Amino acid sequence: MLNVGLNHFLVISAVLFSFGIFGIVTRKNAVMVLMGVELMLNSANINFVAFAKFGAFGNQGQLIALFVVVLAAAEAAIALAIVLNIYKTFNSINVDEIDSLKE
Amino acid sequence: MNEITLTNLSIVILFLPLIGFFFTLLFGKRIKKMYAFEILVICSVFALTVVLAFFKLTQFVNARIISEFTWIDIKNSAILPNISIDLGIMLDNLTVLLMFVVALVSMLVHIFSLVYMKGDKRFNRYYAYLGLFTFSMNGIVFTHNILMMYIFWELVGVSSYLLIGFWYEKKSASDASKKAFLVTRVGDVGMFAGILLLFVTYHTFTFDKIFAQISAGVLPFNSGFWLTITGLLIFCGAVGKSAQFPLHVWLPDAMEGPTPVSALIHAATMVAAGVYLVARVFAMLTADALLVIAIIGAISAFIPATIALTQKDIKKVLAYSTISQLGYMIMAMGVGAFSYAFFHLITHAFFKACLFLGSGSVILGMHHEQDITKMGGLRKKMPLTYATFLIATLAISGVPLTSGFLSKDGILAGTLAFSKLTGYWVFPVVGYFVAALTAFYMFRLVIITFHGEPNDKEKFEHVHESPYSMVIPLVVLSTLSIFIWYTPNPISADAGWFLPKWVHTPATIVPNFARFDFMKSFAKPGEIKKEDNTKAIVSVVNNDIIPTRTTIITEQPAQEGQEEIIHSESYTETFHSYHYPAILLSILVGGFGILMAFVIYHWKKISADKLANALKPLYNFSYHKWYFDELYDYTFIWLTMFLSKILYWFDANIVDGIVNGSAVVVRFASRFSAKFDSIVVDGFVNLLAYISGFIGIFFRKLQTGKVQTYVIYVVFSLVILLFLFKSF
Amino acid sequence: MENFPILSFITFLPILGMILILFVPKKQEILIKWLTLLVTGVQLVTAGFIWRYYNYALGGINNLNTFQFIERFRWIDISGLTWLGNVKVDYLLGIDGLSAPMVFLTALITFIATLSSWNISKSIKGYFALFLLLDTGMFGVFVSLDFFLFYIFWELMLLPMYFLIGIWGGVRREYAAIKFFIYTLFGSVFMLLVMIGLYFSTTETLANGSKIFTFNIIAMMDPKNFTATGILSPFNPNNLRLVAFIALFVGFAIKIPMFPFHTWLPDAHVEAPTAISVILAGVLLKMGTYGILRISYPVFPEITHQLAWYIALFGMINIIYGALCAMAQKDYKKIIAYSSVSHMGYVLLGMSALNSAGFSGAILQMFNHGTITAMLFLGVGVIYDRAHTRGVDDFGGIANQMPIYTGFTTLAFFAAIGLPGLSGFVSESFVFLGSFSVPSIRVISIVSTLGILLGAGYMLWTFQRIYLGELKEKWNKLPDLSFREYAMLVPLALVIVALGIYPSAMLNLMNSSVNALTDFMNNAQKLYSLVGKY
């Protein structure tokens, strides 16, 4: 039986993180970018929980993971609201086109 | 009449003409008859002078009355002496005698001018200037200190300037006035230097105080040599004002002024001031100084006498004769014939004023013609002018029974005595030669002008005798050229009252080593010297009216039968022993001169033209006044003008050139630095900007405005950072 | 009367007048002129009061207690900034016998210059405003006893002068104005350097016992006040006092103007309007010599002794060089300008004698030259207003056409020649008496007497060419003096004659100060030998 250790968790987390980044960078759709951000947040959550399980931190990791989940929900809500507003303004949610801060 | 009254009177006499000057000048434009005021002033001055002279010469004949006040008093601190300058007047016999002459001649000239200057557009101004002159001349005569003398010395210079240039519309007149002022000023500068020397040594300007210190043995720079120099520097003033060689050139030109002015200023009074100055400082002149003075006098007597032989302008002849006679006086001073020099000053003032006024009468009669070759035969038309002119001519030629004879013989005897004692025989030789020349050219003048046939018939027709206001002054002056006013004995002035009683030769005070041998006194210390027989009594009196300090110095008169101490006993003795030989020789020489004049010009035995042709070079030399004017023009004046032009060129081109050049340099430098600024400094700045711009272009590319790109940058940066910091 | 700040009043009254004038509408030309005249008139009266209350016994020079009408308060006080040090500058005014004649002179000359400005036609408001500013600067220089203040007033004068020449001047006015300005500024730079050097070498003890650096001129005269290491302190063995003296002297010499720094003067005079020429010659030139006597001499007495011979030499050069240059001129105003150069040489010669006769002569000559040259320039102005030419050879026979005017100029000419009975004679005599008494400069003094002769030469020649001779046709319409011209010439003529006859009026005024200065200069040798160096 394969003994699942800390490294496995970290690898998973890193892969998830990479997917997240990849999503952010490559997708043009703002919702997809948001999903990439969610992926990255969750990869971090995995790290917190993994370190809480294998490290000497007690259950503070789990606590922070919960906190992150809540925050991610809040963030998703606000971000989606922003995206909706962007859509209203620009008629698009393509991030490349939303560059009116740039000259 | 006491001393205070006398001093107050003399102060009034001094300032009256000044008041006349101011009022006549100020109101002359408005009031046509303003000149009458000036004439009133001068008449009252004359009257007061007569009163003053009478009392001074009778009651106070041996007293010197000094009245002074402090003009400038610089009170000094402990380490420096005070500078205190007194001004004041001194009344002694010389003063009142000369004052009388000034007042009389001035008054006569005022009266004479009434007709002579009639119709002149500046008639009142003329009288105002005469008033200024009288004031200044009196100042010279009155003063008791050399600074005040210098002050008035310059003031007579100015009045002379104004009067010579009175007809300033004529270029020659304004040139002459300028020349007169400048040439006399050359002498004045020397005199000023002498005054400086005196002040630095003695810390006072007052004659008495200076003399007291000299006799106490205080000398400039402690040397007799410098005493000589001081004396000669002061004498420079006399050289200028009395038109002595080499500064004599101004006087003939000064004849551009109105003729009465020439009579007053350039014959009788101002030019004699030089002699008066020498008389004032006579006591402090050393042997060397006296010798130089005598030489200058001799040269000045000789050169103009030769020039006067050939001149054709009646006033020029008289001008040159004036210089010659002044040279005589100066020479007499130099050889120690003090009293005769002064005597000649007085007699000359009268007869020369008479001659000038006579010439004025002639010029007016001839309708402003001055050339004697156009005259002739005037005797018949102007008998009174002729008579007075002749008397004055006799006097100047030294014919017996005239005043000139008395004074001239004294001078000639003085030169003889001097040469006997010192061996300088040149002085009597020059003296007699000049006497002969004088007699010759004066009679030449008289004969050509008054005798013979008229040369210009047309003008002769209109000639008339001058009115009384012009003739009376002539008569008065010619009368004064007769011996009787001075002495009852027509051949010896010593027998009269003028010389023995009134004019005393001041005893020399220079140290023994600086005297002539015959003047050395060999008194031992403690012994009473011979000079001390005129021991003075000094008394101070309060003046309640005019706040001055009045001092009266009374000299004890020479005892009955006691010889007057002139210079030294031996000089006096020699002088007396030469008295009669001098007279004989003088009559002989003068007679020869007159005879020659008659031979050549009256009887025409010898043709004057032929003589002139035979002696052509000499004649030209004399006619062109020895080329003095040309000489000075080509040396001093040319040099000064040249120097001034050169210096101005230097100033405008070099000094200012440096200034402007430095401005040019600065501008060049500024242009260079502007270039430097725009190329190098600005270039550097621009380069920096360019570089940063270039960098900016590169980096601008990174900034795409796309979130994703930035995220990639972040990730890559994180990765790089991770590798960089992986060690921990 | 006791506590009335009379010096501040006389100095700043013109500024007040200037401000008033600036509020007057441009059209009110008469009002502006009368206002200026009123201001200068009040100044003249105030100067009269100063004369009335002046104490002849007090000497001044190096003792502040013997100055008069002193006004003193702290003007600049910077003590909070530690990095700057403790800077305290006093507003210190006072006069003594050296400055009192100059104050009177300035009051008189500005009043007369106002009268002679009457026919200015170009922008009157600006002219008179600047004129009054200049007025303040001149008074300020003569009354301030603090170097900093002195320097400020000195520079204050430059600006209005620049515009007055540059705007209201003649044909080449810009050139002349710039030359004047830059030349004077060039001198001021030297003065500034020396001032700062002296500031860092002199200390003054405060009431609480601490010592601070000071600009007080009086304090600079006492060797006790010098620091041990100051660059201009005699205690410093490597001090630069000689260099500083020369630098300061050059600064003042430009103003005198002394050969070879004189070439700005003819240009400035020729181009300036008459009134400004009068002020320039009458007052501004005196500032140079005043500065030397007030600052250079007492602050550097030992150097003065060292260099007195050279000062005399330059005086002689000025006298003779100026006279000869004047002789070569064809422009009436240039002749007078060069005669100024010559006459200021007498001042230099007199002050180089370092004795009381010399100092008296020098100060008196400063005053007399002020009045005489003012009169001469007014004379030029009168004829220029009528004929619009200054060429000497263009004239001739003016004496016939304008006799009264000629009378006044004759007086001025003879005063300039040094005729006895007029003021120039007394001062020149004193200069020669003083300089001749000093053995080392005796020869220079004798050579300088040539100046008397040359002076008479060019003056009389000029006089002849302009006033004498046949009247030229084109001038036979010129009117004689107007009432206004009488008003400016008569006072000057009276002063010239009065001081010629009774010079003691002025001599007594400055006697105590002259003595104080002479004593100080003579004691300085001893004073500075105690210091060790010298």
Side-chain angles (χ1 to χ4, degrees):
Chain A
M1 182 62 199
L2 183 70
N3 198 7
V4 180
L6 181 59
N7 286 344
H8 297 93
F9 287 104
L10 290 184
V11 168
I12 296 267
S13 155
V15 170
L16 264 183
F17 191 82
S18 302
F19 284 157
I21 287 204
F22 184 78
I24 290 172
V25 172
T26 53
R27 296 291 147 183
K28 290 186 175 173
N29 193 317
V31 179
M32 298 305 277
V33 172
L34 210 60
M35 285 170 69
V37 173
E38 290 297 321
L39 278 179
M40 284 162 71
L41 280 171
N42 282 316
S43 80
N45 274 352
I46 290 170
N47 268 9
F48 276 121
V49 176
F51 278 112
K53 173 84 171 78
F54 296 100
F57 300 110
N59 48 5
Q60 286 169 7
Q62 279 94 334
L63 261 175
I64 287 176
L66 280 174
F67 196 61
V68 171
V69 170
V70 176
L71 262 179
E75 179 245 337
I78 290 171
L80 282 172
I82 290 173
V83 169
L84 269 175
N85 274 326
I86 285 174
Y87 181 75
K88 274 184 190 166
T89 316
F90 293 95
N91 267 332
S92 158
I93 48 169
N94 188 346
V95 286
D96 279 358
E97 288 165 19
I98 306 163
D99 57 355
S100 46
L101 278 179
K102 192 190 165 201
E103 275 181 61
Chain B
M1 185 65 69
N2 63 10
E3 296 90 341
I4 298 298
T5 326
L6 277 188
T7 52
N8 292 345
L9 193 59
S10 49
I11 290 168
V12 171
I13 291 172
L14 178 61
F15 284 105
L16 259 182
L18 185 66
I19 294 167
F21 163 66
F22 271 124
F23 280 89
T24 317
L25 193 68
L26 285 181
F27 303 114
K29 271 253 156 203
R30 307 260 169 74
I31 306 168
K32 278 272 174 294
K33 296 254 175 209
M34 202 59 210
Y35 63 89
F37 176 70
E38 172 62 29
I39 290 177
L40 180 75
V41 163
I42 197 72
C43 288
S44 39
V45 164
F46 178 69
L48 291 175
T49 309
V50 169
V51 172
L52 178 73
F54 176 77
F55 282 102
K56 172 68 180 70
L57 293 176
T58 52
Q59 284 185 11
F60 305 101
V61 70
N62 293 310
R64 272 190 305 136
I65 305 164
I66 291 169
S67 192
E68 60 184 6
F69 73 100
T70 306
W71 183 45
I72 293 173
D73 190 15
I74 299 192
K75 287 171 219 62
N76 257 325
S77 46
I79 55 171
L80 293 159
N82 274 18
I83 298 173
S84 166
I85 299 172
D86 294 335
L87 295 187
I89 58 169
M90 172 164 73
L91 286 179
D92 64 359
N93 294 346
L94 296 191
T95 309
V96 289
L97 285 171
L98 199 54
M99 248 181 71
F100 176 78
V101 174
V102 172
L104 177 62
V105 178
S106 185
M107 184 181 71
L108 293 177
V109 164
H110 274 72
I111 294 167
F112 187 90
S113 307
L114 273 175
V115 175
Y116 191 86
M117 298 296 286
K118 198 172 186 174
D120 196 282
K121 57 183 165 182
R122 292 188 288 271
F123 196 61
N124 282 329
R125 185 99 63 86
Y126 173 79
Y127 274 97
Y129 289 165
L130 283 185
L132 177 66
F133 171 75
T134 312
F135 163 70
S136 330
M137 189 63 212
N138 272 342
I140 291 184
V141 176
F142 269 128
T143 180
H144 88 312
N145 71 76
I146 193 150
L147 182 75
M148 189 166 150
M149 192 159 221
Y150 182 78
I151 290 174
F152 284 101
W153 201 256
E154 293 290 308
L155 285 178
V156 285
V158 169
S159 31
S160 158
Y161 171 81
L162 293 172
L163 282 167
I164 295 171
F166 187 71
W167 290 317
Y168 52 73
E169 286 89 348
K170 273 196 294 179
K171 176 96 167 51
S172 57
S174 62
D175 275 342
S177 60
K178 187 179 65 182
K179 184 175 179 182
F181 193 87
L182 291 180
V183 173
T184 48
R185 204 151 224 233
V186 173
D188 294 350
V189 167
M191 180 175 170
F192 188 67
I195 293 174
L196 287 179
L197 259 171
L198 282 180
F199 187 80
V200 168
T201 317
Y202 303 111
H203 303 291
T204 177
F205 292 114
T206 312
F207 288 126
D208 278 4
K209 288 178 187 159
I210 293 171
F211 293 166
Q213 288 184 66
I214 294 178
S215 42
V218 184
L219 298 180
F221 307 127
N222 285 322
S223 86
F225 172 73
W226 279 99
L227 189 62
T228 308
I229 294 291
T230 312
L232 287 179
L233 281 172
I234 289 174
F235 174 64
C236 281
V239 171
K241 203 113 289 182
S242 287
Q244 296 296 292
F245 171 86
L247 300 181
H248 63 275
V249 289
W250 66 269
L251 188 58
D253 289 25
M255 296 302 129
E256 288 291 339
T259 310
V261 168
S262 309
L264 175 61
I265 301 185
H266 306 116
T269 53
M270 185 188 87
V271 288
V275 183
Y276 183 73
L277 173 67
V278 178
R280 275 278 168 249
V281 298
F282 185 78
M284 60 166 278
L285 296 172
T286 60
D288 297 337
L290 284 171
L291 198 59
V292 173
I293 289 172
I295 290 169
I296 295 282
I299 296 173
S300 313
F302 176 69
I303 294 177
T306 60
I307 297 174
L309 295 176
T310 55
Q311 296 304 310
K312 291 196 171 118
D313 183 321
I314 183 168
K315 287 182 77 182
K316 285 265 162 76
V317 176
L318 291 177
Y320 279 109
S321 106
T322 305
I323 304 174
S324 172
Q325 294 301 308
L326 289 166
Y328 238 71
M329 297 173 213
I330 295 284
M331 179 172 75
M333 283 287 177
V335 299
F338 176 93
S339 45
Y340 281 96
F342 190 76
F343 187 30
H344 196 59
L345 195 167
I346 305 264
T347 58
H348 172 260
F350 291 137
F351 61 66
K352 189 48 75 54
C354 181
L355 287 171
F356 264 110
L357 290 184
S359 78
S361 175
V362 169
I363 291 167
L364 197 69
M366 292 289 294
H367 300 285
H368 296 278
E369 177 58 66
Q370 301 195 3
D371 192 340
I372 50 173
T373 57
K374 301 207 173 120
M375 300 174 183
L378 293 179
R379 175 170 53 155
K380 292 158 210 150
K381 289 254 181 175
M382 313 178 84
L384 272 171
T385 306
Y386 170 65
T388 51
F389 202 90
L390 186 67
I391 293 174
T393 308
L394 289 172
I396 197 175
S397 310
V399 174
L401 301 182
T402 62
S403 60
F405 171 74
L406 293 170
S407 53
K408 206 172 227 179
D409 285 335
I411 291 172
L412 291 170
T415 56
L416 281 170
F418 181 76
S419 53
K420 172 78 170 32
L421 290 164
T422 56
Y424 294 109
W425 285 99
V426 63
F427 296 119
V429 170
V430 170
Y432 279 105
F433 189 61
V434 170
L437 286 179
T438 308
F440 177 78
Y441 67 70
M442 282 314 294
F443 269 90
R444 165 182 175 265
L445 184 65
V446 170
I447 291 164
I448 294 180
T449 314
F450 291 102
H451 292 219
E453 290 303 309
N455 292 322
D456 190 336
K457 287 273 194 308
E458 200 175 324
K459 280 204 165 161
F460 185 76
E461 290 302 312
H462 302 288
V463 174
H464 52 83
E465 178 62 289
S466 302
Y468 283 115
S469 66
M470 282 171 78
V471 174
I472 288 171
L474 292 177
V475 173
V476 172
L477 288 169
S478 61
T479 319
L480 283 167
S481 309
I482 309 289
F483 75 98
I484 194 70
W485 301 95
Y486 310 95
T487 169
N489 180 349
I491 55 162
S492 170
D494 282 344
W497 40 82
F498 191 88
L499 288 180
K501 287 226 177 67
W502 294 344
V503 180
H504 306 273
T505 306
T508 183
I509 48 164
V510 299
N512 252 333
F513 64 84
R515 298 180 186 184
F516 285 117
D517 280 339
F518 63 85
M519 284 160 61
K520 287 197 164 114
S521 63
F522 297 103
K524 294 189 183 73
E527 221 174 345
I528 298 166
K529 278 189 242 167
K530 196 72 177 158
E531 286 96 324
D532 285 350
N533 74 337
T534 53
K535 212 173 174 80
I537 303 161
V538 179
S539 55
V540 181
V541 195
N542 279 325
N543 187 344
D544 298 328
I545 302 169
I546 298 168
T548 51
R549 298 186 298 277
T550 305
T551 318
I552 297 150
I553 302 163
T554 314
E555 276 145 12
Q556 283 177 354
Q559 299 295 310
E560 196 64 37
Q562 184 184 349
E563 271 303 332
E564 171 84 35
I565 301 299
I566 294 177
H567 234 22
S568 71
E569 273 177 83
S570 50
Y571 185 81
T572 315
E573 278 162 19
T574 326
F575 187 90
H576 281 290
S577 65
Y578 276 111
H579 186 63
Y580 290 104
I583 285 179
L584 282 176
L585 201 55
S586 161
I587 293 172
L588 219 62
V589 163
F592 178 70
I594 296 171
L595 188 71
M596 287 306 290
F598 270 93
V599 165
I600 295 176
Y601 295 104
H602 196 259
W603 298 314
K604 307 222 160 97
K605 297 283 177 208
I606 305 169
S607 161
D609 294 337
K610 273 188 191 152
L611 199 65
N613 273 332
L615 301 169
K616 195 78 190 165
L618 279 178
Y619 177 82
N620 274 340
F621 203 55
S622 158
Y623 187 72
H624 290 108
K625 307 150 193 176
W626 290 42
Y627 298 100
F628 269 109
D629 282 337
E630 287 79 2
L631 179 73
Y632 290 164
D633 274 348
Y634 287 115
T635 50
F636 298 111
I637 293 170
W638 185 85
L639 200 70
T640 312
M641 295 313 293
F642 177 74
L643 209 63
S644 90
K645 290 216 174 77
I646 282 285
L647 278 183
Y648 180 58
W649 179 87
F650 176 77
D651 199 60
N653 292 301
I654 308 293
V655 181
D656 214 25
I658 290 172
V659 174
N660 287 336
S662 59
V664 169
V665 168
V666 168
R667 278 174 57 188
F668 179 77
S670 75
R671 211 168 295 154
F672 176 76
S673 89
K675 279 266 150 52
F676 183 81
D677 209 48
S678 65
I679 295 172
V680 180
V681 179
D682 227 22
F684 184 68
V685 174
N686 286 342
L687 186 71
L688 279 182
Y690 185 74
I691 289 169
S692 49
F694 185 75
I695 295 169
I697 286 167
F698 173 73
F699 278 104
R700 195 159 64 207
K701 298 227 166 100
L702 296 180
Q703 198 176 0
T704 56
K706 289 173 186 164
V707 183
Q708 280 95 345
T709 330
Y710 299 154
V711 173
I712 288 171
Y713 297 156
V714 170
V715 172
F716 273 102
S717 317
L718 272 174
V719 171
I720 290 163
L721 285 175
L722 215 60
F723 274 98
L724 280 177
F725 295 106
K726 71 176 181 187
S727 58
F728 75 99
Chain C
M1 203 64 222
E2 269 301 280
N3 294 316
F4 183 70
I6 195 161
L7 294 183
S8 293
F9 176 73
I10 202 171
T11 307
F12 291 107
L13 185 67
I15 291 267
L16 211 69
M18 184 186 87
I19 293 167
L20 272 178
I21 280 178
L22 292 179
F23 283 112
V24 173
K26 220 184 214 149
K27 290 273 156 54
Q28 302 277 336
E29 296 181 344
I30 304 292
L31 180 65
I32 292 173
K33 286 174 182 172
W34 278 99
L35 202 61
T36 314
L37 193 66
L38 179 75
V39 167
T40 50
V42 170
Q43 275 183 310
L44 195 59
V45 173
T46 315
F49 269 106
I50 292 178
W51 195 324
R52 166 71 183 74
Y53 289 97
Y54 186 84
N55 184 349
Y56 283 35
L58 297 180
I61 303 294
N62 66 332
N63 184 350
L64 192 57
N65 296 328
T66 55
F67 275 89
Q68 304 181 40
F69 308 105
I70 295 174
E71 289 165 36
R72 181 177 204 175
F73 61 85
R74 190 120 293 163
W75 175 36
I76 299 173
D77 191 346
I78 305 170
S79 45
L81 303 170
T82 43
W83 51 269
L84 193 62
N86 211 350
V87 177
K88 290 189 197 313
V89 180
D90 277 355
Y91 175 84
L92 178 56
L93 305 184
I95 57 170
D96 60 358
L98 194 57
S99 36
M102 296 299 109
V103 169
F104 303 145
L105 177 69
T106 313
L108 181 67
I109 296 294
T110 37
F111 181 74
I112 284 162
T114 314
L115 282 176
S116 92
S117 311
W118 221 251
N119 49 7
I120 292 285
S121 52
K122 194 156 88 180
S123 58
I124 290 185
K125 187 170 166 178
Y127 177 87
F128 283 98
L130 287 168
F131 184 88
L132 287 173
L133 187 64
L134 178 70
D135 193 0
T136 290
M138 294 187 300
F139 273 101
V141 166
F142 288 131
V143 297
S144 52
L145 292 177
D146 190 275
F147 209 153
F148 194 77
L149 202 58
F150 179 91
Y151 186 79
I152 285 176
F153 282 122
W154 183 276
E155 295 295 303
L156 183 65
M157 256 158 29
L158 280 188
L159 183 85
M161 205 67 195
Y162 171 75
F163 287 114
L164 286 170
I165 297 175
I167 297 175
W168 287 271
V171 183
R172 292 172 72 223
R173 54 180 178 265
E174 278 98 358
Y175 170 75
I178 289 174
K179 197 170 179 182
F180 164 79
F181 190 84
I182 292 182
Y183 225 134
T184 322
L185 205 64
F186 176 73
S188 307
V189 171
F190 286 120
M191 203 197 297
L192 182 68
L193 287 176
V194 175
M195 178 176 97
I196 292 168
L198 280 169
Y199 172 73
F200 285 115
S201 308
T202 322
T203 56
E204 200 176 26
T205 314
L206 291 178
N208 60 13
S210 65
K211 288 189 167 184
I212 55 155
F213 292 129
T214 180
F215 282 114
N216 189 334
I217 296 171
I218 314 294
M220 291 170 184
M221 297 177 194
D222 190 351
K224 282 202 293 291
N225 288 336
F226 284 114
T227 60
T229 53
I231 190 158
L232 296 183
S233 157
F235 299 100
N236 181 352
N238 303 320
N239 68 54
L240 294 174
R241 284 173 70 85
L242 182 65
V243 179
F245 179 85
I246 292 170
L248 192 58
F249 193 84
V250 168
F252 289 129
I254 285 171
K255 204 87 178 184
I256 292 174
M258 187 183 86
F259 175 88
F261 306 112
H262 65 278
T263 50
W264 64 268
L265 185 79
D267 285 318
H269 269 316
V270 168
E271 300 308 325
T274 305
I276 302 308
S277 285
V278 167
I279 289 206
L280 194 60
V283 182
L284 258 66
L285 305 191
K286 313 298 169 298
M287 287 178 181
T289 42
Y290 172 78
I292 292 172
L293 284 176
R294 166 68 70 220
I295 300 174
S296 298
Y297 267 37
V299 175
F300 301 99
E302 82 286 18
I303 313 287
T304 308
H305 276 285
Q306 239 171 301
L307 298 183
W309 190 86
Y310 296 96
I311 299 174
L313 184 71
F314 275 105
M316 181 190 88
I317 292 174
N318 254 36
I319 292 171
I320 291 176
Y321 185 87
L324 283 172
C325 280
M327 208 173 273
Q329 302 306 318
K330 298 239 180 303
D331 183 316
Y332 194 178
K333 234 177 175 182
K334 257 194 176 165
I335 293 174
I336 310 298
Y338 274 108
S339 88
S340 279
V341 174
S342 180
H343 283 122
M344 291 309 282
Y346 290 112
V347 180
L348 278 174
L349 183 64
M351 64 171 65
S352 70
L354 301 176
N355 56 27
S356 48
F359 284 137
S360 301
I363 302 170
L364 196 59
Q365 172 76 1
M366 279 154 73
F367 188 91
N368 290 341
H369 175 255
T371 50
I372 294 169
T373 314
M375 203 162 160
L376 287 171
F377 274 119
L378 288 175
V380 183
V382 166
I383 193 88
Y384 184 72
D385 284 347
R386 286 162 172 70
H388 301 288
T389 174
R390 285 188 308 259
V392 170
D393 296 323
D394 295 346
F395 292 107
I398 298 295
N400 270 342
Q401 186 61 31
M402 306 167 68
I404 299 172
Y405 161 68
T406 309
F408 278 107
T409 29
T410 313
L411 184 87
F413 267 71
F414 276 111
I417 290 171
L419 183 78
L422 302 175
S423 57
F425 169 73
V426 184
S427 45
E428 279 175 26
S429 302
F430 267 76
V431 163
F432 283 120
L433 278 183
S435 55
F436 194 80
S437 310
V438 182
S440 61
I441 60 173
R442 193 164 279 154
V443 176
I444 290 176
S445 166
I446 286 292
V447 176
S448 301
T449 51
L450 271 182
I452 303 180
L453 190 62
L454 293 171
Y458 68 79
M459 279 297 189
L460 290 185
W461 193 29
T462 311
F463 190 76
Q464 182 192 18
R465 284 184 288 174
I466 294 177
Y467 298 102
L468 305 184
E470 205 65 64
L471 182 71
K472 287 194 182 157
E473 192 78 356
K474 55 180 166 177
W475 305 132
N476 61 9
K477 292 276 185 313
L478 302 185
D480 212 333
L481 295 183
S482 67
F483 176 75
R484 178 178 63 84
E485 285 158 346
Y486 269 113
M488 37 195 225
L489 290 172
V490 169
L492 287 175
L494 286 180
V495 169
I496 289 171
V497 172
L499 279 183
I501 294 168
Y502 189 65
S504 298
M506 198 51 80
L507 286 170
N508 289 346
L509 180 78
M510 57 205 195
N511 189 10
S512 305
S513 291
V514 164
N515 283 340
L517 185 59
T518 317
D519 282 359
F520 178 76
M521 294 307 289
N522 282 298
N523 288 332
Q525 214 109 349
K526 216 175 348 169
L527 213 61
Y528 279 79
S529 69
L530 293 179
V531 166
K533 173 100 164 83
Y534 181 65

